[in-house]
Amino acid sequence: MSLGRNIAIFTITVSLLTFIAFFGRLPAFRYTPVGFLHRLLIVHIPSTLRRTDLFLTNGRVTNGGLRFGHYLLHEKHPLVMVFFLGLVTACAVLFLPVIWEQISLHHKLLVLILLPLPYLFTYLSATRNADAYITPQNHAAQMRHYPYDRILYYPGIICETCKLLKPARSKHCSICKTCVARMDHHCVWVNNCLGRGNYRWFLALLLSSTLLIAYGAYLAYMVISPLAEQQYKTYEQWYKYKPPRGSDPNSWTTYKDTKWHNLSTMASIYLDIGGLRASGVGMLCLIAWTLPLGLLLYHVYLIYAGMSTNENMKWGDWRDDMADGNVFLAHRRPETMRDDLSSDSLHDVKPPATFGNSICSALGSSPSTSASSIPTPPGTPPNEEEPLTTWPLESKHILLRTYTGEAPRNLPDLIKSVTDEESFQRVWHLGVVENVYDLGFWDNFVEAMR
């Protein structure tokens, strides 16, 4: 009985720590117990250990740990991906031979379909970089995908490493050493950046992993439960919880102890009957399947909101500054807005016939004299006009931070050229700000699959 309880406690603890470590940094959890535990786990405990180690060993232990942690999180390596796929392989090798003869044909076929999917989608997420990585060869096409919203992304900014104009929604990854189109995040589980082109394979990986792990838990329950129930009924007098003498049978303490006793008893019976190969893997699957599901639901929310993980972080910073009263909103001047796109649907928009000078040069065509209805902002590098895009929306808002409590003054030329300076007003929440990349859930989903 104690073995089952210990395994259950260990599995739940590891799952909670994993959830806190990976999700606690998200803006949604910043002021919640999850965010506090994340800071405790990532910042405060390591700081305390660091001070202790400096006193005892002059920092030798923590320096080695920091180097290893930096390597795991900030270097391109396959260790985490190998660990993930190795764990899937080890669980399958331990689990399937034990239950194979006890499941029906259609369950066997489902196992053969579901088991290869995490391997396939991990490979696709790790290798499909043609549309995700921005190179001189595809830079012109990448510039056409999204307009600059002048809130999170501004035109005329050159990546200091790649020496290319940064397309809207892109970000340079210091691990992959390249700019990534519609950057979501760098994922250590697939040893690659996720962006336009391979993000859909990451979503498929999360979905397939959730289904596989949940299905493993179900198979373990289906095979072991009848035997466990029979075992419990046979020896019920030994397994039944007996409250301490003199305790109140209706108290909360007795109720809690009874439930915990029943849980640990059933875990012990499951382990006795199925052993570590069937019951142990099944219990691990029962706890672990919620982790990829939680991450999948988070990314479904991002799709619904028309954001990437990178953009969610940026919006979180804006939200914090708004709460402090440091953000002012202005409107674009009408003459700087495009008027050639009227469709509300991404699929109804046809590619424009002309682009800026540098885009036309890259495509091998001659530029038009009226290439763009958007004037080139002062400060934009020579021969680098802002190109037209196939995106159906364009931002009407401009956000600026100030720390004086007054509306912005002396604007940079890049912002002043398109801003109605008389329209500045203080804003307190994101609800009044337009997200130009949000087309509605269905169009957002179609765009995420590109």
Side-chain angles (χ1 to χ4, degrees):
M1 187 179 302
S2 61
L3 177 60
R5 182 173 63 249
N6 292 338
I7 290 178
I9 293 174
F10 174 77
T11 305
I12 293 172
T13 302
V14 170
S15 299
L16 287 175
L17 290 176
T18 303
F19 179 86
I20 291 168
F22 280 93
F23 296 107
R25 65 186 179 90
L26 298 178
F29 294 119
R30 187 168 296 172
Y31 301 110
T32 67
V34 174
F36 169 77
L37 291 174
H38 179 267
R39 292 188 294 273
L40 182 66
L41 183 66
I42 302 299
V43 178
H44 300 304
I45 291 179
S47 298
T48 302
L49 294 176
R50 171 69 174 174
R51 289 193 295 269
T52 304
D53 182 51
L54 284 172
F55 176 75
L56 296 176
T57 69
N58 199 27
R60 292 184 180 87
V61 176
T62 51
N63 286 339
L66 288 173
R67 286 194 297 270
F68 181 68
H70 184 274
Y71 175 75
L72 285 179
L73 299 177
H74 301 289
E75 297 289 341
K76 197 171 178 66
H77 61 82
L79 292 183
V80 179
M81 182 174 63
V82 170
F83 168 78
F84 164 62
L85 296 179
L87 184 61
V88 174
T89 304
C91 289
V93 169
L94 290 172
F95 182 68
L96 291 178
V98 178
I99 58 99
W100 191 256
E101 297 300 328
Q102 303 178 56
I103 60 177
S104 59
L105 178 61
H106 70 278
H107 285 297
K108 294 178 180 178
L109 292 176
L110 279 175
V111 169
L112 294 177
I113 292 172
L114 290 176
L115 184 58
L117 294 182
Y119 298 91
L120 172 64
F121 293 133
T122 298
Y123 170 79
L124 293 174
S125 299
T127 59
R128 289 296 185 265
N129 300 324
D131 294 323
Y133 289 177
I134 299 174
T135 64
Q137 290 72 31
N138 67 14
H139 179 261
Q142 298 285 8
M143 292 289 290
R144 290 178 47 207
H145 291 318
Y146 308 104
Y148 294 100
D149 65 349
R150 289 178 170 81
I151 297 175
L152 305 181
Y153 307 99
Y154 277 86
I157 298 177
I158 297 178
C159 175
E160 296 181 357
T161 304
C162 298
K163 307 304 180 185
L164 296 172
L165 276 174
K166 294 173 71 81
R169 309 192 79 179
S170 68
K171 184 178 185 294
H172 185 86
C173 177
S174 60
I175 300 176
C176 293
K177 305 298 189 294
T178 185
C179 284
V180 180
R182 201 185 65 206
M183 171 69 155
D184 191 87
H185 70 287
H186 181 91
C187 180
V188 296
W189 297 100
V190 299
N191 192 32
N192 198 15
C193 273
L194 301 172
R196 185 183 175 92
N198 64 0
Y199 182 64
R200 61 183 183 269
W201 303 122
F202 176 68
L203 296 179
L205 172 62
L206 294 178
L207 178 60
S208 62
S209 298
T210 300
L211 293 176
L212 178 63
I213 299 172
Y215 192 58
Y218 171 73
L219 288 179
Y221 173 80
M222 183 183 67
V223 170
I224 301 173
S225 285
L227 301 175
E229 291 178 5
Q230 182 180 356
Q231 175 84 355
Y232 183 84
K233 290 178 180 179
T234 302
Y235 301 100
E236 183 175 2
Q237 68 274 19
W238 299 103
Y239 293 130
K240 190 174 181 180
Y241 177 67
K242 300 178 180 62
R245 182 177 300 177
S247 62
D248 183 2
N250 298 320
S251 67
W252 166 251
T253 301
T254 301
Y255 175 81
K256 180 186 65 175
D257 292 342
T258 301
K259 292 298 183 182
W260 180 249
H261 172 83
N262 293 338
L263 175 63
S264 59
T265 297
M266 292 307 298
S268 178
I269 295 174
Y270 269 66
L271 286 172
D272 289 340
I273 295 174
L276 289 176
R277 296 184 63 180
S279 299
V281 173
M283 291 177 63
L284 179 62
C285 291
L286 179 63
I287 300 298
W289 76 279
T290 57
L291 296 177
L293 176 64
L295 189 55
L296 177 62
L297 293 178
Y298 169 69
H299 281 277
V300 170
Y301 160 73
L302 291 180
I303 293 173
Y304 166 79
M307 297 185 296
S308 64
T309 300
N310 176 51
E311 290 164 357
N312 189 32
M313 298 291 183
K314 293 176 181 289
W315 285 118
D317 293 337
W318 279 113
R319 182 174 57 247
D320 292 343
D321 286 335
M322 287 180 181
D324 294 333
N326 295 328
V327 178
F328 287 80
L329 178 145
H331 294 276
R332 291 271 299 275
R333 295 212 307 268
E335 64 269 20
T336 68
M337 302 293 295
R338 291 184 296 179
D339 57 5
D340 58 333
L341 297 177
S342 59
S343 171
D344 292 331
S345 172
L346 179 64
H347 314 294
D348 297 333
V349 180
K350 299 185 182 301
T354 59
F355 308 90
N357 292 339
S358 64
I359 306 301
C360 291
S361 300
L363 295 176
S365 58
S366 59
S368 168
T369 55
S370 58
S372 173
S373 61
I374 305 175
T376 304
T380 302
N383 300 322
E384 294 286 2
E385 295 182 8
E386 185 179 349
L388 289 175
T389 69
T390 58
W391 200 253
L393 300 178
E394 187 178 17
S395 178
K396 301 179 180 65
H397 294 159
I398 293 175
L399 286 186
L400 291 176
R401 296 177 175 92
T402 68
Y403 300 99
T404 62
E406 299 180 356
R409 300 176 180 176
N410 302 320
L411 299 177
D413 291 340
L414 187 65
I415 300 176
K416 187 175 183 178
S417 62
V418 296
T419 304
D420 178 4
E421 297 185 62
E422 302 300 321
S423 65
F424 275 111
Q425 57 181 335
R426 194 192 307 270
V427 290
W428 297 93
H429 57 87
L430 288 174
V432 300
V433 183
E434 178 186 36
N435 178 12
V436 71
Y437 306 122
D438 182 9
L439 302 176
F441 179 74
W442 176 248
D443 284 333
N444 290 345
F445 177 77
V446 172
E447 171 62 23
M449 296 299 105
R450 294 178 182 272

